Amino acid sequence: MQVITTVAGVREAVRAWRKEGLTVGLVPTMGYLHEGHASLVKAAKADCDRVVVSVFVNPTQFGPNEDLQSYPRDLAHDEALLESLGADVLFYPAVDEMYAPNAATWVTVEGLTAGLCGKTRPTHFRGVCTVVSKLMNIVMPDKAFFGQKDAQQLAVIRRMVRDLNMNVEVVGCPIVREADGLAKSSRNTYLSPTEREAALVLSRAVFKGEELVRAGAATPLAVVEAMKKIIEAEPAARIDYVEAVDAESIEPVNTFEHDVLFAMAVYIGKTRLIDNFIAKAR
Ligand code: AMP
């Protein structure tokens, strides 16, 4: 595996692969990699001849009072994991390699970014869409792999790729969980042992929601109410949102006519965690 820190270096590697007629997969990450990220890399390996994994803690997707400075980083661990998974390039650019000091261009997706995480994090998706667009332009992959864990992000990226005619297929991959249900996240490392226990309310609410949907719940709202009840019973948890939205448009819904995304963000102490599931249209 090559570790490349420059845009020119990645372009050169990809150009050589293209000459050989090889296909290229891209897995964008912020590092501190876990099995959730590994599942994306494995999906990319299975689907593409060569795989580029970017590790970049993207400052533009953090709000002013968020965890940019404290975001966990461990390049040696990430490098060893990616090597073992057979990734071909680890792209690890510095901030000034990705952003010129006078960068003035943003990619914004409207509508779908207004609700859910966009409410609490109003500049987040602008940062995500801008950096993902840049990575697409740098790597020009055939396919790019994203986790369903960040369901709104996946919907936003799908829309951006379609709207801007980006020549890439977006592949969504299922949520990977810890044995006890907690969705894997780099931010889980912020949790104290008691908070780690309390954090199980998120997955418990997801599992309860899935069960109610399976049992034929009358409305999405009834499911949301039951999920909220579970979370509210945990004193260490503070709900940011628990909502049912159209999985594609991210508009609030109260029928099962289209696929429904049940999504939540919950603070456990100071740590904001997200989880979700999708109920298929019926
Ligand atoms: P991050 O490093 O948190 O920005 O995540 C990079 C990519 O990994 C995103 O597409 C995430 O949705 C995906 N991802 C993170 N955690 C998980 C998980 N537990 N299961 C599946 N995908 C995940």
Side-chain angles (χ1 to χ4, degrees), residues 4-66:
I4 301 180
T5 58
T6 63
V7 170
V10 173
R11 288 212 162 115
E12 199 181 305
V14 173
R15 201 159 36 232
W17 297 335
R18 291 286 181 208
K19 257 196 201 152
E20 295 179 60
L22 301 172
T23 60
V24 179
L26 168 67
V27 181
T29 83
M30 298 209 299
Y32 210 71
L33 303 179
H34 50 65
E35 285 166 50
H37 300 110
S39 74
L40 307 188
V41 178
K42 285 178 194 164
K45 280 287 292 178
D47 224 10
C48 305
D49 299 319
R50 294 289 180 270
V51 174
V52 176
V53 181
S54 58
V55 170
F56 180 61
V57 181
N58 173 37
T60 65
Q61 70 189 70
F62 288 80
N65 299 315
E66 292 183 359

Side-chain angles (χ1 to χ4, degrees), residues 240-253:
D240 179 2
Y241 65 80
V242 181
E243 278 186 53
V245 298
D246 182 292
E248 195 187 320
S249 70
I250 316 293
E251 300 272 357
V253 284

Side-chain angles (χ1 to χ4, degrees), residues 28-30 34 36-37 40 71 146-147 149-150 153 174-176 184:
T29 83
M30 298 209 299
H34 50 65
H37 300 110
L40 307 188
Y71 196 84
F146 297 88
K149 158 92 191 317
D150 298 85
Q153 168 176 284
I175 300 177
V176 176
K184 294 211 182 229

Side-chain angles (χ1 to χ4, degrees), residues 3-274:
V3 180
I4 301 180
T5 58
T6 63
V7 170
V10 173
R11 288 212 162 115
E12 199 181 305
V14 173
R15 201 159 36 232
W17 297 335
R18 291 286 181 208
K19 257 196 201 152
E20 295 179 60
L22 301 172
T23 60
V24 179
L26 168 67
V27 181
T29 83
M30 298 209 299
Y32 210 71
L33 303 179
H34 50 65
E35 285 166 50
H37 300 110
S39 74
L40 307 188
V41 178
K42 285 178 194 164
K45 280 287 292 178
D47 224 10
C48 305
D49 299 319
R50 294 289 180 270
V51 174
V52 176
V53 181
S54 58
V55 170
F56 180 61
V57 181
N58 173 37
T60 65
Q61 70 189 70
F62 288 80
N65 299 315
E66 292 183 359
D67 56 344
L68 173 61
Q69 296 311 323
S70 57
Y71 196 84
R73 293 160 164 90
D74 188 346
L75 183 65
H77 164 268
D78 292 350
E79 195 177 333
L81 178 66
L82 293 174
E83 181 85 60
S84 77
L85 292 168
D88 298 280
V89 163
L90 162 51
F91 179 40
Y92 180 67
V95 171
D96 61 1
E97 179 69 11
M98 285 299 279
Y99 292 103
N102 59 352
T105 306
W106 295 100
V107 179
T108 59
V109 172
E110 298 180 359
L112 308 73
T113 56
L116 305 186
C117 287
K119 260 197 200 133
T120 320
R121 310 185 73 192
T123 57
H124 172 67
F125 289 111
R126 179 183 80 159
V128 169
C129 289
T130 301
V131 83
V132 170
S133 298
K134 289 162 71 69
L135 290 167
M136 300 291 203
N137 284 336
I138 293 164
V139 178
M140 307 256 255
D142 298 277
K143 300 189 181 193
F145 297 78
F146 297 88
Q148 186 61 45
K149 158 92 191 317
D150 298 85
Q152 186 177 16
Q153 168 176 284
L154 180 54
V156 167
I157 286 169
R158 284 191 195 285
R159 185 68 65 89
M160 173 187 83
V161 162
R162 192 207 64 182
D163 288 352
L164 295 181
N165 305 94
M166 291 183 176
N167 195 13
V168 58
E169 182 186 330
V170 173
V171 181
C173 300
I175 300 177
V176 176
R177 298 179 180 280
E178 303 286 354
D180 61 7
L182 180 67
K184 294 211 182 229
S185 164
S186 308
R187 290 190 167 99
N188 291 348
T189 184
Y190 297 147
L191 301 169
S192 71
T194 48
E195 288 173 341
R196 171 68 183 74
E197 193 60 32
L200 288 176
V201 287
L202 282 94
S203 51
R204 281 219 305 275
V206 162
F207 300 152
K208 179 68 179 178
E210 286 177 326
E211 185 190 314
L212 292 173
V213 167
R214 265 198 307 274
T219 62
L221 205 58
V223 177
V224 165
E225 289 308 324
M227 292 167 72
K228 277 188 174 166
K229 231 186 216 166
I230 290 176
I231 301 164
E232 282 162 357
E234 170 52 62
R238 182 167 61 82
I239 292 176
D240 179 2
Y241 65 80
V242 181
E243 278 186 53
V245 298
D246 182 292
E248 195 187 320
S249 70
I250 316 293
E251 300 272 357
V253 284
N254 199 22
T255 74
F256 288 102
E257 238 171 277
H258 303 282
D259 290 359
V260 178
L261 167 65
F262 289 90
M264 65 177 81
V266 177
Y267 290 93
I268 303 292
K270 289 199 168 108
T271 305
R272 186 174 174 280
L273 299 175
I274 56 173

